[in-house]
Amino acid sequence: MGIEIERKFLVSGDAWRNDSGVLYRQGYLNRDKARTVRVRLAGDAAYLTVKGQSTGASRAEFEYPIPCADAVALLALCDGPLIEKTRYIVLHAGMRWEVDEFAGDNAGLVVAELELASEDQAFEHPAWLGAEVTHDARYFNSNLATHPFRAW
């Protein structure tokens, strides 16, 4: 079984910005608290992902590559609006940060995520890192689809 251990933070300023951005479009076939099923187009790749309920910063995660044409068809079946964002990969102190700059109804929201080997793994906080929102359900992408940032 795949386990995802992820910490999530707000981002301030532009010091993280680089030219590595990839456009993401994603939607949810299921947004139940106990399990989510996500379809994602990421540049020229596509994925179907199933995630379990979070316990702390950990949860079960199963991700499978699928054909882009299948992802486009599945996105049309998704429950609620799609999430659109540009993802940037930012390397800092030996760690790989994923910085998501949201568009559409979530424009203005920028979030950094870091996957860890354990929940207590130490890491250096970049200067552009803001408040931690790992446990704030408003920042879950599945919730942003139906309760967008602009409506808060």
Side-chain angles (χ1 to χ4, degrees), residues 7-8 54-58 119 132-138 140:
R7 305 264 305 267
K8 188 179 290 200
S54 294
T55 303
S58 303
E119 288 203 29
E132 183 166 4
V133 295
T134 300
H135 304 294
D136 189 337
R138 294 178 303 164
F140 296 173

Side-chain angles (χ1 to χ4, degrees), residues 8-80:
K8 188 179 290 200
F9 299 83
L10 297 178
V11 172
S12 61
D14 282 332
W16 57 270
R17 193 175 294 282
N18 60 42
D19 295 330
S20 69
V22 174
L23 179 62
Y24 278 47
R25 292 183 66 230
Q26 66 188 46
Y28 293 85
L29 296 167
N30 183 16
R31 289 180 291 107
D32 185 276
K33 282 185 177 182
R35 74 202 61 77
T36 60
V37 180
R38 177 184 73 205
V39 178
R40 173 182 277 172
L41 269 174
D44 60 358
Y47 304 92
L48 182 65
T49 306
V50 179
K51 294 187 179 193
Q53 187 166 357
S54 294
T55 303
S58 303
R59 64 181 166 179
E61 179 183 56
F62 305 90
E63 185 166 76
Y64 306 97
I66 61 174
C68 288
D70 288 3
V72 170
L74 287 168
L75 285 171
L77 299 175
C78 286
D79 178 24

